[in-house]
Amino acid sequence: MTAFTVYAAVADPGEGNDSMLAQIAAHQLGLPLAKVRLYTRDTDKTVGMGPAAGSRMTFAAGHALLKSIENMRNAMKEAGAKNYAEMKAAGKPTRYDGFVKNPGTAGIDKITGLGTPFLSDCHNIQIAEVEVDTETGAVHVLKMTAGIDAGTVINQQAIEGQLEGGMDQGVGFALREEYIVGKTRDYITFKFPTIRDSFEIEIITRETPRLYGPLGATGVGEMTMTSTAPAVTNAIYNACGARIYNLPATPDKVKAALSTGKK
């Protein structure tokens, strides 16, 4: 069986981009994953893709990959070829690039100052369950629940990993993590979360295919961290009446809010 190689300048800093590329290619080509090779770690044979940031890689790289597969299939159909050898015999290239331009107008309206920052969004709702020690001000997260719609789910485990990591980071941002010039020197003084700070997590996924997303998918990376801290601080307020406006919600801040009756 023929194998295919995906050339993409797509970093995978824990986002699951390797899995995304391989699964989209295998799905679209009707091949087992073992027949899809990835060339993503060097730039000598790839084209520019931009940063693996802004939850953009599934949307941007996934689109480009689908377009390159479409271009290759059209060339194979034109040549009447079914494999690499037949394409070579027909004098056809065996590598095809995919370029996709987002629809709509880019940039900011010069009169209103408004623009469209995202062509595709991920939607998320979160619930935080906490307990507060009203004597010390210490907050303990019991459970985080996330309901998320990221369009078509390409890899359920990858989405769950992103959500779990995002909520873990978000709770750290809400309760512990703080950079103080001259005092914060490492992960210990930054109060980076460890397994001892873990909590129960429930994830609910819903699939509403996106109009412009590759196979209906969209990015999910940062979404869960964004809403974690507000969920935690709202839970603190609902638990004891202390409203925290300045993160992290350290015990001393919670205790001070309780003593002043700050609502």
Side-chain angles (χ1 to χ4, degrees):
M1 183 182 289
T2 301
F4 287 83
T5 302
V6 177
Y7 295 92
V10 178
D12 190 351
E15 296 178 17
N17 292 329
D18 284 357
S19 170
M20 175 270 295
L21 292 169
Q23 286 186 254
I24 286 180
H27 172 81
Q28 202 69 0
L29 293 165
L31 291 174
L33 280 171
K35 292 297 180 180
V36 178
R37 301 167 181 162
L38 297 182
Y39 189 98
T40 59
R41 296 297 179 260
D42 295 317
T43 56
D44 59 334
K45 295 182 181 179
T46 60
V47 296
M49 273 298 304
S55 303
R56 65 183 289 275
M57 274 304 175
T58 293
F59 187 83
H63 258 314
L65 174 57
L66 289 174
K67 187 62 178 178
S68 66
I69 292 173
E70 179 186 342
N71 292 339
M72 180 189 68
R73 278 181 158 169
N74 288 339
M76 292 178 74
K77 184 177 180 181
E78 181 182 316
K82 295 182 179 180
N83 53 46
Y84 176 89
E86 291 178 4
M87 287 288 282
K88 293 291 286 184
K92 289 284 188 180
T94 57
R95 170 173 168 158
Y96 293 84
D97 294 338
F99 175 80
V100 178
K101 186 178 185 301
N102 288 337
T105 304
I108 297 175
D109 188 291
K110 294 182 180 179
I111 297 176
T112 65
L114 302 176
T116 304
F118 297 103
L119 186 64
S120 180
D121 293 301
C122 177
H123 304 290
N124 162 257
I125 297 173
Q126 278 185 236
I127 301 171
E129 298 175 47
V130 308
E131 67 179 12
V132 181
D133 186 327
T134 54
E135 291 187 6
T136 66
V139 178
H140 176 59
V141 175
L142 302 173
K143 181 179 179 181
M144 292 295 305
T145 302
I148 194 158
D149 187 335
T152 303
V153 174
I154 295 175
N155 187 306
Q156 182 68 30
Q157 282 187 313
I159 279 191
E160 290 176 0
Q162 288 294 301
L163 301 185
E164 290 171 0
M167 284 187 277
D168 188 50
Q169 277 188 285
V171 168
F173 175 56
L175 299 181
R176 295 179 303 274
E177 298 175 14
E178 185 176 22
Y179 178 77
I180 302 173
V181 177
K183 294 184 178 181
T184 307
R185 301 179 303 277
D186 48 34
Y187 284 152
I188 296 175
T189 52
F190 185 64
K191 298 181 181 177
F192 196 78
T194 68
I195 194 64
R196 292 189 297 273
D197 304 306
S198 62
F199 42 83
E200 183 182 352
I201 291 176
E202 181 179 354
I203 294 171
I204 303 165
T205 54
R206 179 176 179 177
E207 296 185 66
T208 305
R210 298 300 190 266
L211 178 62
Y212 299 114
L215 305 179
T218 193
V220 68
E222 290 94 341
M223 173 53 67
T224 315
M225 182 181 174
T226 304
S227 49
T228 301
V232 171
T233 54
N234 282 341
I236 294 172
Y237 176 76
N238 290 333
C240 65
R243 176 63 77 185
I244 305 299
Y245 296 97
N246 181 21
L247 298 179
T250 52
D252 59 316
K253 292 179 185 176
V254 175
K255 194 173 181 180
L258 283 169
S259 64
T260 59
K262 191 174 182 179
K263 303 293 185 179

